Amino acid sequence: MKLFKTFSKVVLVGLALSSACLAPSANAARLKDIASIQGIRDNQLLGYGLVVGLSGTGEKNSKFTEQSFRSMLNNFGIKIDESTSLKIKDVAPVAIHATMPAFSKVGQTIDVTVSAIGEAQSLRGGTLLQTMLRGVDGNVYAIAQGSLVVGGLGVEGADGSKVTVNTPTVGRIANGAIIERQVPDNFANTDSYVFNLNRADFTTAKNVVDAINDLYGDGAAVAEDSASIRVSAPRDPSKRVAYLSTLENIDIDQGDDAARIVVNSRTGTIVIGNNVKLKPVAVTHGGLTVTVTEDPRVSQPNSFSQGQTTVVPDSQINVEEKKGKMFKFDTGATLDDLVRAVNQVGLAPGDLMSVLEALDKAGAIDGKLEII
């Protein structure tokens, strides 16, 4: 029994060591997560239609909505005299957009988003009438229709007071469009595929080429530039799916990104990359606070002086200067050193932006400072 327990422990330790050896590096990622195959992409569809059945929250008096409503009735053989005014408060013109995934087949369904484009107050409870969705080439690829699901709510009182929750003029229809045309592709007719990296990097591109060539032999993959890697495809179309499945699951060691500090001047957000290093430099930063307070006083004239009571302004100005703290960075100071120094000094985001700009101006940052 003791021998069995000892053997079990040895096996468990061996498995743990094997798993540690086979585990990918911390900076590794599957090829499918860092790149996409050129030509295999989604397609955007767009259409214009009418939502009906609204409870008085549709258009008030819109000429193009009335024209669209007349055209719809004409399609059903109902002709209305042009002089007749239509009440269309239960109808709203909408724009419909959807995304058609790659390799979508005829008869499959996709979700659609419906957005009011006129003066409609809410699309809640409405139904989208049959609408053609076109691609950028003008062809009809899907037809949408169905009841809307609206997450927003809008209520308005007679005195003009109004409460709006979320956006009641936008809704969705799950599986609301049926695909009627397939987008042509050359998946089975090409001799090679091109993987485009999401973030162009020469080191990552080289690692992709090395990983594929180690698996399929030299020449199977060639880097065209820092973003594109061309990979040979098997001649037999039936083997291409399995071939690409193997490729996209290869673990790739990604190259370190360029040292960069990104500053959002509107929100005060500052992101410092891990590879940012500082040259030897000393920094001090102080703040000057000016406070102006107004304490108006009443000047009362003496009795029988025929004077007037007046308000005399009394302004007091107080200037307070905070003592600046100096911190020093040695050669090769890292992100941790910078964060530690900032936390010790207690700089606000606005002050930190000024410090970073000054450091960049002095040439003390080994990296790029981007202000967006």
Side-chain angles (χ1 to χ4, degrees), residues 82-342:
E82 293 293 336
S83 60
T84 303
S85 178
L86 300 177
K87 302 296 183 181
I88 53 175
K89 62 180 181 179
D90 295 338
V91 182
V94 292
I96 305 97
H97 69 270
T99 299
M100 184 176 175
F103 305 120
S104 295
K105 301 299 188 291
V106 174
Q108 292 182 326
T109 59
I110 55 177
D111 299 342
V112 298
T113 301
V114 182
S115 306
I117 58 177
E119 297 180 352
Q121 299 176 357
S122 175
L123 298 181
R124 180 177 290 273
T127 301
L128 175 68
L129 298 182
Q130 191 177 81
T131 303
M132 294 181 291
L133 303 182
R134 303 177 184 272
V136 68
D137 56 1
N139 293 324
V140 176
Y141 286 92
I143 296 179
Q145 182 173 276
S147 300
L148 276 70
V149 176
V150 180
L153 173 66
V155 180
E156 185 174 356
D159 61 349
S161 58
K162 181 169 59 176
V163 176
T164 302
V165 180
N166 295 331
T167 307
T169 53
V170 177
R172 284 182 62 83
I173 307 176
N175 301 317
I178 301 176
I179 296 175
E180 301 292 343
R181 182 196 295 262
Q182 185 176 342
V183 177
D185 62 76
N186 60 347
F187 176 77
N189 302 322
T190 182
D191 294 331
S192 62
Y193 295 106
V194 177
F195 284 87
N196 294 324
L197 297 176
N198 298 334
R199 295 178 66 90
D201 184 83
F202 286 107
T203 302
T204 304
K206 176 184 178 299
N207 292 341
V208 172
V209 172
D210 292 342
I212 295 176
N213 288 340
D214 289 343
L215 186 62
Y216 289 104
D218 293 339
V222 177
E224 297 183 342
D225 48 43
S226 64
S228 301
I229 300 95
R230 184 173 295 276
V231 183
S232 300
R235 295 290 181 178
D236 188 355
S238 62
K239 298 180 180 179
R240 299 193 177 204
V241 173
Y243 176 68
L244 287 176
S245 175
T246 302
L247 287 179
E248 67 181 8
N249 285 287
I250 297 176
D251 287 326
I252 305 297
D253 288 328
Q254 300 182 77
D256 292 334
D257 290 334
R260 186 173 306 175
I261 300 176
V262 180
V263 176
N264 190 322
S265 59
R266 295 180 297 276
T267 63
T269 303
I270 300 174
V271 179
I272 304 176
N274 187 46
N275 294 318
V276 173
K277 295 187 182 299
L278 302 176
K279 297 178 181 178
V281 65
V283 179
T284 182
H285 184 80
L288 187 68
T289 304
V290 180
T291 305
V292 180
T293 59
E294 297 290 346
D295 186 17
R297 299 179 182 276
V298 178
S299 177
Q300 183 70 31
N302 295 327
S303 302
F304 308 107
S305 64
Q306 297 183 353
Q308 295 181 353
T309 301
T310 59
V311 178
V312 180
D314 184 8
S315 302
Q316 297 183 7
I317 301 177
N318 181 36
V319 179
E320 179 183 356
E321 184 176 6
K322 297 179 181 179
K323 294 182 179 180
K325 297 182 180 180
M326 177 172 285
F327 47 92
K328 179 175 179 287
F329 294 111
D330 295 325
T331 303
T334 61
L335 170 62
D336 293 337
D337 300 325
L338 177 58
V339 172
R340 191 180 302 110
V342 169

